[in-house]
Amino acid sequence: VQTCALPILGVAYQEFVRELHAAHAEAGFSDLGRSDGFVFRSLAVRPMTVSELATRLEISKQGAAQIVEDMERRGYVERAPDPDDRRARLVRLSARGENALATARRFHRDYERRLERAHGKEAVRGLRAMLEAIAGAEQSVDPRLRAFYL
């Protein structure tokens, strides 16, 4: 009996996320929230205002402000005056946020290397090509995703 392969994609993603959370917890980042990765990826590109972050995350300004306040309380982001606009404040990754992002980047590289050792480089290239086809070409060059790998 042949079944559809796509449901297993969700299961594989859940396992990937579980391992990522374990790596973060082992590195001292056990308090990461569900939205934090999106913020890390956005702020890795450059510091931005809460309004810009809201636009980038496709959420309300109030929602972005709540996320930023929570992440600031946990020490992952900080706010500073915008040197180009004294009325605005920029949100940027703190040293703790940079370290958490570095942990995620290291995890991603190590995970892919582990897949290559287990299944071969060609198989991983094929998987990447298939996932890019599923996600769409614009997603594979999305700076919010690329920020994890740079």
Side-chain angles (χ1 to χ4, degrees):
V1 174
Q2 189 172 7
T3 61
C4 181
L6 289 181
I8 201 159
L9 184 62
V11 174
Y13 176 72
Q14 287 174 335
E15 178 58 20
F16 173 83
V17 169
R18 188 195 64 72
E19 289 184 36
L20 174 61
H21 288 303
H24 271 120
E26 186 176 311
F29 306 111
S30 60
D31 61 344
L32 287 172
R34 193 177 283 267
S35 306
D36 294 349
F38 297 109
V39 176
F40 287 145
R41 290 190 298 267
S42 296
L43 296 179
V45 176
R46 66 175 174 77
M48 56 186 67
T49 65
V50 170
S51 294
E52 289 174 306
L53 189 58
T55 299
R56 187 158 183 104
L57 299 177
E58 299 177 351
I59 61 174
S60 71
K61 184 178 174 185
Q62 294 80 8
Q66 288 176 343
I67 291 169
V68 167
E69 287 170 18
D70 182 52
M71 290 183 74
E72 188 173 36
R73 180 185 53 74
R74 290 180 287 127
Y76 291 107
V77 299
E78 55 195 20
R79 295 185 232 201
D82 184 337
D84 299 326
D85 181 354
R86 292 188 346 205
R87 299 168 296 159
R89 293 183 53 79
L90 293 175
V91 180
R92 64 177 177 226
L93 292 175
S94 66
R96 180 171 170 78
E98 292 283 352
N99 288 334
L101 178 59
T103 297
R105 287 175 171 164
R106 191 169 34 258
F107 173 82
H108 284 97
R109 283 190 303 272
D110 291 348
Y111 192 92
E112 188 157 323
R113 285 186 194 123
R114 198 170 75 212
L115 287 175
E116 287 176 350
R117 282 192 305 274
H119 305 285
K121 288 186 179 191
E122 280 304 311
V124 173
R125 271 194 280 269
L127 175 62
R128 187 182 308 110
M130 189 174 300
L131 292 172
E132 287 175 355
I134 292 168
E138 67 280 355
Q139 295 298 326
S140 66
V141 295
D142 188 328
R144 292 174 292 184
L145 293 175
R146 296 185 66 76
F148 264 144
Y149 307 103
L150 301 176

